[in-house]
Amino acid sequence: SRPDDLDDSLVEVSARVSRFHKEAVEDEKTSAVADVDIHGVCIAVAGRELLVDAHLKLCPGQRYGFIGRNGSGKSTLLRAMAARRIPGYPPNYRTLLVSQEDVGDERTPVETVMSAHDELASLLQEEAALIFSEKGGAQACAKARRHVDLLRARGALRVASAYESKLSGVRGKAARDALLAAEHKVSALELAALKDDYTPEELSVAAQAQVASELADVRER
């Protein structure tokens, strides 16, 4: 079973704690800056030993990772820390455990990590749209311009939608008006992106130079 579904009553936790250590971690002043330094940590689940006579040492300001095969007790140890079930664990330490989620899609691991950064993901989308301009020609630049404008409008729509949902009264009405305007703009740009007829201004040398400049800026960022 998954650690999140584990019955805590089946988990046995023990450790060796001296009187001096107990007094130190229970003191408000010393426990706030003390290392986690606990000897003889033992954890068993339903009689099955996961950790035996382990030494748990964590220093403030450092980052740690638990490495081990599935079922070796990594998550169970974290749960015991978060629940303050380990004798000698500083009671004033704030420990938050974020449970794992079995969520996946068709993206590769690299794509998933990259998309977690909203700004970077947005820039990558804009770059992909602007790259079309490198195929050459005024129409390619105009098409790239329309697609990147649509991407930015969709981003603004998401922001407007989130903002509107949090407001009420006069400010809420203004936010709803802004949301409607953003929706209309996205609709108009979606229609324009499907068309291949461009205005002289969109096909101008200045417009092409602007697209090239924005592509360079996006890549630099």
Side-chain angles (χ1 to χ4, degrees):
S1 64
R2 290 178 53 189
D4 290 347
D5 301 327
L6 188 63
D7 185 349
D8 287 340
S9 65
L10 300 176
V11 181
E12 300 176 14
V13 184
S14 63
R16 294 196 308 270
V17 181
S18 66
R19 180 180 177 182
F20 172 78
H21 181 85
K22 185 175 184 297
E23 292 176 349
V25 298
E26 290 181 351
D27 184 273
E28 291 186 1
K29 294 182 179 179
T30 58
S31 66
V33 295
D35 296 349
V36 175
D37 191 5
I38 308 171
H39 292 265
V41 177
C42 297
I43 296 180
V45 177
R48 175 172 172 263
E49 294 180 331
L50 299 179
L51 293 179
V52 179
D53 199 27
H55 179 195
L56 178 63
K57 183 174 178 61
L58 304 172
C59 300
Q62 302 298 315
R63 296 182 180 182
Y64 298 90
F66 291 170
I67 301 175
R69 67 182 187 279
N70 290 341
S72 61
K74 302 185 299 295
S75 297
T76 305
L77 174 58
L78 289 170
R79 284 167 58 88
M81 292 167 59
R84 296 181 173 83
R85 293 192 58 189
I86 302 176
Y89 193 82
N92 292 329
Y93 271 25
R94 183 173 62 181
T95 306
L96 174 66
L97 176 62
V98 180
S99 300
Q100 63 187 25
E101 297 181 4
D102 294 330
V103 178
D105 52 34
E106 69 281 359
R107 294 176 298 176
T108 67
V110 172
E111 290 172 338
T112 301
V113 172
M114 297 290 278
S115 65
H117 194 309
D118 291 339
E119 182 180 1
L120 180 57
S122 177
L123 289 172
L124 289 173
Q125 287 183 330
E126 290 186 17
E127 181 187 25
L130 291 168
I131 281 177
F132 188 80
S133 65
E134 293 185 329
K135 292 186 177 181
Q139 287 197 354
C141 286
K143 189 176 186 67
R145 167 84 279 158
R146 288 186 179 183
H147 276 85
V148 78
D149 285 347
L150 176 57
L151 285 173
R152 291 169 179 171
R154 286 172 174 168
L157 175 59
R158 287 192 293 271
V159 173
S161 178
Y163 190 61
E164 186 272 339
S165 66
K166 298 178 181 178
L167 298 178
S168 59
V170 176
R171 296 178 65 189
K173 182 180 183 305
R176 284 190 292 276
D177 291 341
L179 177 60
L180 286 174
E183 289 175 343
H184 289 318
K185 184 174 182 178
V186 167
S187 296
L189 289 172
E190 286 177 339
L191 289 175
L194 297 174
K195 298 179 180 179
D196 290 327
D197 53 326
Y198 304 101
T199 65
E201 182 179 349
E202 289 179 298
L203 299 174
S204 67
V205 174
Q208 295 177 56
Q210 179 63 30
V211 169
S213 175
E214 289 191 26
L215 177 57
D217 180 64
V218 166
R219 283 173 168 168
E220 181 178 351
R221 290 162 63 191

